[in-house]
Structure formats: C-alpha cells, structure tokens
Amino acid sequence: MSWWGSDARHEVTNEVLDLFEEKNPGITVVRDFGGFDGYLDKITTQYTGGNSPDVVQLYNEVLREFASRGQTADLNTAIEGGELSLDGWPDDLVETNTIDGQLSALPFGLSTHAFIFDEARSAELGVEVPAEDYSWDDLKEYATAISTASGGALYGVTDLSHSYQVFEVWAKQNKEEFLTAEGIGFTADTLVDYWDYWADMRAAKAATPPDVTSEYASPYDAVIQGTAASTFLFANQYAGVVSNSGNPLALLRMPGEAKNPGQYLRTAMNLLVSSQSKHPAEAALLVNFLLNDPEANAILGIERGVPANGNVVKAATENVDENNAKAIALIESVREHGAAAPVPAPTGSGTVNTLFTEFAQQVQFGSLSSKDAADQFIAQAKSELG
Amino acid sequence: MALTHSRPSDTERSAPGSEPHVVRGSEDPRTPRAARGLRSLRAARFNERLAPYLFLLPWLIGFFVITLGPMLYSLYLSFTNFSMLAPPEWVGIDNYIKMFTNDPKYLESVRVTLVYVFVSVPLQLAFALMLAMVLNRGLRGLPIYRSIYYLPSLIGGSVAIAVLWRQMFGHNGLINQILDVFGIEAQSWIGNPNTALGTLIILNVWTFGSPMVIFLAALRQIPQELYEAGAVDGVNKRQQFLHITLPMLTPIVLFNLILQLIGAFQAFTPAFVVSGGTGGPVNSTLFYTLYLYQRGFTSFQMGYASAMAWVLFVGIAVVTVINFWFSKYWVHYDD
C-alpha cells in the first residue's frame, strides 16, 4: 500500500496496518510512504512498469485519469464478493466515484473549504471578525479595515484569484460548476466577476499584492507568517495551521454561503485497489478495514478528514482536541446544509488547473484584463479538455 | 614407462639434422605444426582483441541496457500519444507539429530557457575568469580561497540552495533587508515576473567555482617567457591580458563554454523549487525541462514530453556544433 503525508499520518497509518496484520494473519502489508512531492510521479511510473501497489491513496483531481484508463479495480466486485461493505455510506459519494459504471475508489476522509481569521491581530487593530453568515462584501469590508488600521503592515486577506478551489465554490454559489465530466461548467461572466472582485481588493490594498501572493505555496502560510490576517484553507488543515501560527484563529465557512451554499463534502483523498493487483480480495479487505472498521478509525482519527462512513464518524472523532472539534463541526455543518459534490474532474483537468492559475496571475500583474483573461482561459481549457 | 607406439614428438622430428630437409608439400611433416602454431597465434590475437571488450563489458551492458535502450524507446514514444497509464498510440509527428504551431506555452519555455542560457553562462564565465586572475596572483591561503569559491558550484544545483534562494529573495528576505538600509523599496524578487528569472540567473552565475578552478589551472600553464617578452616590449596590464593571457586561454574558454551551456540548457532544480514546480509567476521561470516535466507528469502526456526531450537534445547538439565551428575563428591552439 502507498500513501503520502506527514509524519503524524505515517504514524497512525502504520499503527492501523499493524492492527490489520494482527487481525488477518497470513496477510502482510508492504508499506511505501513519503511526502506529497513526487508522489504522483512515483505512482504513475510504478503503474507504467506494471508493478503498482495493490492499494493506492490518490487525490481526486487525478482519479479519472487513472480510472478512465482501466487502472482501478471495480470495487463492486469486492462488494459482491463480500470483502467490502458500503453499510453507512452516503449514496451520492458512491455515485460520484462511479466512473464508466465502475466503482473506481472510495473517499478516504472528507473535508471542506473554510476561512480562517487571525483573532489576535484583528483585536489588536480593533477590527471585528465577520459573523457566521457573512458575505463576500463583508469580507471585503473586513480586509480593507485591517489593511487601513495597520497602515499597510498587515494585509486583510491573501489574494485568492488564482485558486481554482475557491472559484469552484464561487461558481457553485452561482448555481454553476467549475468543471463537469463534459468540460467547462461555468459562464465567462461568472469568472470575470470573480477576478474583478479580487482586482478591487488589490486596488483597495486589502488583498496581498501579486508578487507577495505568488511567494506562498499555500495561502495559509501567509497567515502563519503574519503577512495576512485571513485566508482560505481546508477544514482538516485547521488544527495544524493553528499550532504553527501560535495565534488563535477563527474558523468560518466560506463567504457567501448563507444565500446559496457552494461548499460540499470534498473528498480529501481516495483509496483504490489497483487493477494490476494480484491479490484483489486481500486488497479489498484492507480497504474495508481502513474505511469501515471503528477500531481502525479510532486510531486514524480525522488526520485525513472526517470518515465518509457515518457509522465510524463517532469512533474517529471521540477523542479529538478543541481545534479538531471545530473543524469537525464545520464539516458536519456542510453535511447538513451544503451543495452536492462535483463529479471527479475530467482528464486534462490538471493542465486546466495550471492554466487557471496562470491567467489569474496575468490579471494580478495587470498584463491582461479580467475579460480577456477569462475568454482566453476558457478557449485554452476547452482545447485541453478535448 | 615410455609408450612404444607413441608418436614421436614434433620437436624430436624437427630437431636439426634429424632428417633431410624435404620440399614443402602435403607430406611435409611441418605443415600440421605450422597450422597449429598459426591457430594458437590467431587465438592469442583474438584473446588480445577480446580482452578489452571483456573489461568494458559492465559499462557496455550499462550503456546498451540502461542508456541507449531507453533513449531509443523515448524516440519511439515521441511519435505516440502515451499517458503512462495506457499503451502508447502511434500519432506520427503530431507531437512535433503541436509543439511549434499550437502550444504558446512551449515557445514561452524556449524563450525563457534561451534568455537564461545566453545571459547566465557568459556572466558566469566572465566572473570565473576574473576571480581566477585575482587568485592567480599567488596570495597566501590560496587553497582556502579556492575551496571557498568552489563550494557553491558543488551545491548550487541542489534543492537546499534553491530553498535558500527562495528565502533570500522573498519579500521578507535578506536581500530586501539589505536594500532597506539604503532606502530602496522592498519587493518580492522571486514573486515578480520581471525579476524572478534574474534571481535564477544570479544563482547560476554564483556557481562559477568549477570553471574558475579550470581557468586557474590554465593560467598556471601559460609560459612566463611570454610575459617577460611582453615586459621587454613595454606592454601595459590591459594589453598583457588582451594579447597574451586571453589568447592562451581560448581553448579552455571554449571547453568551459560548451560544458556550461549544456548544463544551463538542462537546468531544472532551481526553477522547480523557487517556483514551487509551477514555473511561475506567469511562466517567467518556466524552464524547458520544467515544462517537459509538467507535460509528462502533471498532464500525463509522456509522448509529448519525449518529443520535447528530443528537440532539446538536437538543440543542444546544434548549439555545440556551431560553437565548435566558430571556434576556429577565435580559439588559438598553441602548436
């Protein structure tokens, strides 16, 4: 089995795999784990060489690339064979991962989008953190107030115009999609509005300037380092960011959710069985154990996000600290009141996501207008998605 | 006990005077021996010819199996559509056509790479030569200075240095803190499309150590008589450099130039780390190799990436050949 992650993840995963071996004498799980950098290259290369791991942790953006080329075993076979059970699983999650009639993978932890606000710095500057049902305009107001009060030393928010993940929520709030199985799921106007919103933010000095924005690999790094007071992240990252920041951080849903929610239960990562596996039954047993066993989930906790199987959520979330409890509450609020998850991204989406960032940056640096960038991006994305 | 019926040995038979010399013919008892001798001689020669190949075998296996095989396979792949997850499909020269006609990002990556190569390499060599001249004056502790200046070229291509560069040229970085003292307004050097490539060029210039060491050795080789003769003719420092030092160094300049050009064309790590693998901001650090990597591993287009690799290979070969061809006009070999 292969997975990527931090040391904390390796620790709990190895512990669970030991437990699995203990409960299933005769099955040994060979483990291959490391950081996220280079993970996809490694897996792809192993697949090409015909020696992929039996069980693979894979992220949603590339799931279709693998599944549509027949590299994922149909998990329905394991369900019929009795190795895997879907008891307690929400139907729509199973639905989204069914590609070409085959159940290609199952979510290995659910998360959702969120916004953090640095409470300590906001209080210092005498600016109030927005309330639960804040809008995009409220965010603009907050960010402008922070930048003004700090005399430009602290930006109110990081510029998120290049984040396709934030735009996806924006599009869903407007009853559109970022990408569908067929291709582009939004109108040019929606994207122009989005980029114009951030252009106003930059003009008001409320959002980070482009050269600062492009320095941060993850937006939350700007909050940790005290460059910006608020930004977007995924809920399961919250506890880690708080401990790195040292400041108390408020955790809220995305702006604009009150009217028409665009957030959804997002598959943080998937677990799949390789179609090259010589032991598909044993591999399915392991997948079943990791996803459906309360004991296993008690160890795994919510490091990968909240379990998708409602029956084991309790086991996974029983002994969490305060910060993780906040994140879980937010994820559960989306489960109650959120949008439907989009289908796994179409093939070629990796290139499209890169293009999105590139065109957004050209708008940031002023070399293209929002309108021109949106038109060019849509044209190029269409040709990439075939 | 001697065998009575054993054939008399050749040596006995051909002992001088043992029997009258007969005309060479089929019955000549020497024939078999001569042939035998020839055979063993041939075998010895063959062994002599074979031995080096036997010694070369490990390298040869490595070359054919690990280098040449995959290279030829990648040539085949460059004419296919290959996602790495499904068998390659033959598409002829489509990849090559798309590259030059329908991929603006490709042309951008070529532009970025050419700027990087043709700005950073001459600067780096000039720097290396300058320092070699200074060190050649024979100051005390030369080996120490030489080692210190050589160090960056050992580590310059590493991830750690690229990370350091990110820190130094960031908006809160060391460079801005220094500039701040002089009242120059801070900006993010790596986050700005106009300056990001410049920081990578500086990084490459900073690894001037290996050409410097080679220049230093070459400077030592220049015969002192030339300088003495020059001194008699009363040349000044500048003329000395232009008419003695530089001409004598030209073969080494060519050597360093070709080596560094090839290296710069293939640069990958600094851009990958500094831009977080994106080649950003706005593709300003999109090195050829970085784009090739993105096509291969992010877009699952290994066929296209292979085609790009072959174009790079041919490109480097062409630049090298042009260099050699031009070298006869400026390189002076002392013969």
Side-chain angles (χ1 to χ4, degrees):
Chain A
M1 166 171 169
S2 276
W3 71 90
W4 77 85
S6 60
D7 285 346
R9 181 175 300 170
H10 301 328
E11 207 175 303
V12 292
T13 312
N14 275 313
E15 196 182 327
V16 169
L17 293 178
D18 290 343
L19 182 67
F20 176 76
E21 286 177 345
E22 204 178 301
K23 289 192 165 188
N24 296 275
I27 303 180
T28 312
V29 184
V30 179
R31 301 119 199 240
D32 182 10
F33 51 92
F36 182 73
D37 283 339
Y39 179 81
L40 182 65
D41 312 359
K42 182 176 73 182
I43 294 292
T44 315
T45 310
Q46 286 172 332
Y47 258 106
T48 313
N51 47 15
S52 75
D54 297 296
V55 179
V56 185
Q57 174 181 310
L58 195 67
Y59 48 102
N60 233 15
E61 280 88 344
V62 294
L63 177 60
R64 192 180 286 271
E65 301 270 5
F66 282 74
S68 65
R69 298 187 173 99
Q71 300 292 3
T72 57
D74 185 5
L75 292 175
N76 287 321
T77 316
I79 295 166
E80 286 152 24
E83 290 98 7
L84 179 66
S85 146
L86 287 185
D87 186 33
W89 281 75
D91 287 342
D92 61 333
L93 279 178
V94 178
E95 199 60 44
T96 54
N97 275 359
T98 301
I99 297 173
D100 305 335
Q102 301 201 330
L103 182 53
S104 57
L106 284 171
F108 193 14
L110 299 175
S111 185
T112 189
H113 318 70
F115 237 80
I116 46 170
F117 295 86
D118 191 320
E119 285 174 320
R121 289 201 183 88
S122 304
E124 270 167 38
L125 297 167
V127 181
E128 228 170 285
V129 171
E132 289 254 338
D133 51 2
Y134 67 122
S135 64
W136 288 97
D137 287 335
D138 295 338
L139 177 67
K140 194 181 282 186
E141 212 171 296
Y142 164 83
T144 314
I146 289 277
S147 298
T148 313
S150 69
L154 178 67
Y155 293 101
V157 63
T158 67
D159 185 348
L160 297 166
S161 57
H162 61 283
S163 167
Y164 68 91
Q165 289 152 330
V166 177
F167 174 68
E168 186 179 36
V169 174
W170 176 285
K172 278 176 165 291
Q173 288 178 351
N174 288 296
K175 299 210 163 73
E176 291 177 0
E177 294 283 346
F178 176 46
L179 295 177
T180 65
E182 286 75 45
I184 298 286
F186 59 90
T187 55
D189 289 348
T190 307
L191 182 55
V192 172
D193 288 347
Y194 182 70
W195 280 342
D196 282 340
Y197 172 86
W198 289 107
D200 293 350
M201 288 281 243
R202 287 190 297 272
K205 297 256 189 297
T208 45
D211 56 339
V212 173
T213 307
S214 65
E215 251 185 61
Y216 294 106
S218 309
Y220 58 72
D221 285 334
V223 173
I224 292 172
Q225 291 178 22
T227 306
S230 70
T231 193
F232 138 86
L233 46 53
F234 289 111
N236 59 317
Q237 300 168 328
Y238 174 69
V241 173
V242 172
S243 65
N244 283 330
S245 158
N247 277 354
L249 302 175
L251 180 72
L252 292 178
R253 279 178 70 155
M254 298 294 282
E257 282 288 287
K259 205 166 60 188
N260 181 33
Q263 281 186 248
Y264 57 93
L265 282 187
R266 190 176 172 279
T267 301
M269 60 202 71
N270 287 293
L271 207 52
L272 62 88
V273 174
S274 165
S275 58
Q276 295 178 0
S277 174
K278 293 184 185 68
H279 309 283
E282 288 82 356
L285 276 177
L286 176 59
V287 170
N288 188 60
F289 182 78
L290 292 168
L291 299 180
N292 298 330
D293 189 287
E295 229 180 311
N297 279 280
I299 299 170
L300 289 172
I302 65 149
E303 196 277 330
R304 283 182 172 87
V306 175
N309 179 349
N311 297 346
V312 295
V313 171
K314 191 163 168 295
T317 56
E318 222 151 19
N319 310 311
V320 295
D321 60 6
E322 184 196 355
N323 289 328
N324 275 319
K326 269 199 225 171
I328 293 165
L330 190 122
I331 295 170
E332 292 303 318
S333 85
V334 174
R335 204 192 283 262
E336 293 292 306
H337 179 68
V343 295
T347 47
S349 66
T351 316
V352 172
N353 297 340
T354 313
L355 282 174
F356 186 91
T357 304
E358 274 166 32
F359 280 104
Q361 281 184 334
Q362 295 191 46
V363 179
Q364 288 173 3
F365 284 102
S367 48
L368 278 179
S369 71
S370 302
K371 181 84 188 77
D372 292 346
D375 291 343
Q376 287 179 37
F377 164 69
I378 289 172
Q380 277 198 39
K382 277 184 173 152
S383 81
E384 286 295 340
L385 295 168
Chain B
M1 170 189 156
L3 293 169
T4 40
H5 292 291
S6 70
R7 225 179 43 159
S9 74
D10 286 341
T11 38
E12 272 177 324
R13 219 184 324 141
S14 61
S18 62
E19 46 183 68
H21 189 73
V22 284
V23 183
R24 274 176 173 238
S26 57
E27 288 101 355
D28 183 5
R30 271 183 245 198
T31 309
R33 180 185 145 218
R36 259 207 306 282
L38 210 64
R39 257 206 305 277
S40 66
L41 195 68
R42 260 200 215 120
R45 277 221 190 115
F46 183 68
N47 282 344
E48 225 166 83
R49 272 204 307 264
L50 191 70
Y53 290 100
L54 277 173
F55 281 111
L56 276 175
L57 202 58
W59 183 84
L60 284 173
I61 290 174
F63 176 72
F64 282 107
V65 177
I66 299 173
T67 308
L68 193 65
M71 263 180 83
L72 292 174
Y73 186 58
S74 85
L75 182 60
Y76 157 72
L77 285 180
S78 73
F79 298 106
T80 64
N81 193 346
F82 181 46
S83 67
M84 295 186 73
L85 299 171
E89 306 156 21
W90 184 265
V91 293
I93 55 169
D94 281 9
N95 287 330
Y96 293 91
I97 293 171
K98 181 180 173 183
M99 219 178 290
F100 293 109
T101 59
N102 192 19
D103 189 355
K105 212 169 153 181
Y106 173 80
L107 299 177
E108 181 62 15
S109 80
V110 171
R111 195 193 62 81
V112 168
T113 309
L114 290 177
V115 169
Y116 175 76
V117 168
F118 290 108
V119 175
S120 78
V121 171
L123 275 176
Q124 181 201 30
L125 293 183
F127 223 82
L129 180 57
M130 199 174 78
L131 264 148
M133 301 275 298
V134 171
L135 289 181
N136 195 36
R137 288 209 170 131
L139 67 162
R140 255 181 317 171
L142 171 69
I144 297 170
Y145 285 107
R146 200 172 47 197
S147 309
I148 290 173
Y149 289 132
Y150 187 60
L151 206 54
S153 66
L154 289 180
I155 55 177
S158 69
V159 172
I161 290 299
V163 171
L164 173 77
W165 230 246
R166 253 194 99 88
Q167 301 288 346
M168 274 175 55
F169 287 92
H171 74 283
N172 289 329
L174 183 68
I175 302 291
N176 278 340
Q177 284 166 17
I178 295 168
L179 291 178
D180 201 39
V181 175
F182 298 104
I184 299 171
E185 199 180 334
Q187 62 142 330
S188 172
W189 302 92
I190 58 160
N192 188 325
N194 301 322
T195 54
L197 185 59
T199 63
L200 295 182
I201 288 174
I202 293 171
L203 174 57
N204 195 37
V205 172
W206 181 61
T207 61
F208 58 82
S210 67
M212 178 196 79
V213 168
I214 297 169
F215 277 136
L216 203 51
L219 285 169
R220 297 280 162 96
Q221 296 296 320
I222 298 174
Q224 279 302 313
E225 299 88 75
L226 294 177
Y227 292 113
E228 284 158 12
V232 170
D233 293 338
V235 299
N236 61 28
K237 279 263 180 258
R238 199 176 65 89
Q239 290 168 315
Q240 198 184 59
F241 174 75
L242 284 178
H243 299 291
I244 302 173
T245 311
L246 210 50
M248 293 302 285
L249 279 181
T250 43
I252 303 297
V253 173
L254 176 69
F255 172 79
N256 273 331
L257 181 67
I258 286 174
L259 223 57
Q260 297 301 327
L261 279 178
I262 292 174
F265 268 111
Q266 299 177 358
F268 172 79
T269 313
F272 183 82
V273 175
V274 166
S275 71
T278 62
V282 201
N283 294 337
S284 60
T285 59
L286 188 73
F287 284 8
Y288 194 97
T289 48
L290 185 55
Y291 186 47
L292 187 153
Y293 168 87
Q294 285 181 2
R295 280 282 174 185
F297 284 106
T298 314
S299 313
F300 296 89
Q301 295 169 334
M302 203 43 87
Y304 192 77
S306 299
M308 284 181 66
W310 276 90
V311 173
L312 178 65
F313 177 75
V314 171
I316 292 177
V318 167
V319 168
T320 308
V321 166
I322 290 174
N323 247 318
F324 271 118
W325 186 78
F326 264 115
S327 72
K328 60 182 181 224
Y329 294 103
W330 60 273
V331 173
H332 162 86
Y333 287 104
D334 193 25
D335 33 24

